[in-house]
């Protein structure tokens, strides 16, 4: 089996090569983004691996079919930009990453919230530009425990974020029943 991986960053190449070796699949990488114009680069391949950066349209899946490409493997979550009916009609099987670490994403959201609520950016600016760090009302941040935190979406990421914000004492409001 032969795959071509489009839109590959330099740091991804070792992982793409290892995946091919581990699964006995011949893999070619390119930094080119898959489009209706670049799909001809996939001629002779059984499958394509891509990032979810473009709409995967009926026109594109018709080209998959013409080139004999049977697989589209997305290197990220979600298929909201994939015309699944067109893929099926053209005999293309779609796979994607089932989930990234929901804990990592929730922790990132909490970290950004703390960064903003504690005015870290402002403090960094003052230190870099003025070499000052002294008490100032402008440095006063807000405690999460004194805030109401709204969580929109309570899938795996949202549920973990709820736990983290509650752990910081936040008054968490969400659509999730707990």
């Amino acid at each position: 089996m032969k795959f071509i991986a489009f839109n590959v960053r330099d740091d991804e190449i070792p992982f793409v090569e290892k995946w091919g070796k581990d699964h006995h699949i011949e893999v070619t990488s390119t930094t080119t983004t898959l489009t209706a114009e670049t799909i001809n680069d996939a001629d002779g391949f059984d499958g394509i691996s891509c990032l979810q950066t473009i709409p995967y349209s009926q026109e594109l899946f018709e080209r998959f079919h013409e080139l004999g490409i049977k697989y589209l493997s997305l290197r990220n979550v979600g298929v909201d930009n994939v015309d699944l009916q067109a893929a099926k009609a053209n005999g293309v099987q779609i796979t994607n990453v089932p989930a990234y670490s929901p804990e990592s994403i929730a922790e990132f959201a909490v970290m950004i919230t703390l960064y903003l609520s504690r005015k870290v950016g402002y403090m960094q600016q003052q230190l870099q530009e003025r070499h000052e760090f002294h008490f100032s009302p402008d440095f006063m941040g807000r405690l999460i425990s004194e805030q109401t935190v709204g969580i929109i979406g309570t899938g795996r990421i949202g549920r973990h974020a709820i736990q983290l914000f509650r752990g910081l004492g936040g008054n968490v409001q969400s659509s999730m029943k707990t």
Side-chain angles (χ1 to χ4, degrees):
M1 184 174 293
K2 291 174 57 176
F3 259 75
I4 182 168
F6 281 86
N7 205 15
V8 176
R9 299 183 320 260
D10 288 341
D11 64 306
E12 292 180 299
I13 292 171
F15 298 102
V16 171
E17 289 173 351
K18 182 180 182 320
W19 176 82
K21 185 177 179 182
D22 290 350
H23 295 91
H24 309 290
I25 296 173
E26 181 182 328
V27 181
T28 300
S29 299
T30 179
T31 58
T32 305
T33 299
L34 176 67
T35 65
E37 291 76 37
T38 63
I39 192 167
N40 288 331
D41 295 346
D43 192 13
F45 289 89
D46 302 299
I48 294 175
S49 172
C50 284
L51 289 172
Q52 184 186 357
T53 57
I54 65 165
Y56 296 92
S57 64
Q58 179 175 340
E59 174 191 10
L60 196 57
F61 286 118
E62 288 170 356
R63 290 292 295 134
F64 272 58
H65 182 75
E66 290 169 13
L67 295 171
I69 299 166
K70 302 284 185 202
Y71 307 98
L72 173 61
S73 177
L74 298 172
R75 297 192 311 275
N76 41 339
V77 297
V79 292
D80 55 324
N81 60 328
V82 177
D83 185 337
L84 296 173
Q85 290 179 334
K88 185 176 182 179
N90 286 283
V92 178
Q93 183 177 345
I94 308 293
T95 63
N96 67 322
V97 176
Y100 288 130
S101 169
E103 295 85 0
S104 295
I105 298 167
E107 288 175 9
F108 184 79
V110 171
M111 186 265 310
I112 292 295
T113 302
L114 289 168
Y115 179 91
L116 293 171
S117 68
R118 301 307 296 174
K119 299 185 178 183
V120 175
Y122 176 76
M123 286 192 283
Q124 285 178 322
Q125 178 189 17
Q126 294 301 303
L127 287 168
Q128 289 173 352
E129 291 178 6
R130 298 183 181 178
H131 305 291
E132 290 182 6
F133 186 85
H134 60 281
F135 176 77
S136 165
D138 294 331
F139 282 173
M140 297 297 291
R142 300 170 74 182
L143 297 172
I144 297 297
S145 62
E146 295 176 358
Q147 303 304 309
T148 297
V149 179
I151 305 292
I152 299 172
T154 54
R156 290 176 287 203
I157 297 167
R159 288 191 306 267
H160 194 70
I162 288 169
Q163 290 176 335
L164 294 172
F165 280 115
R166 283 187 175 153
L168 292 169
N171 173 20
V172 178
Q173 300 293 313
S174 72
S175 59
M176 186 172 111
K177 296 180 182 187
T178 56

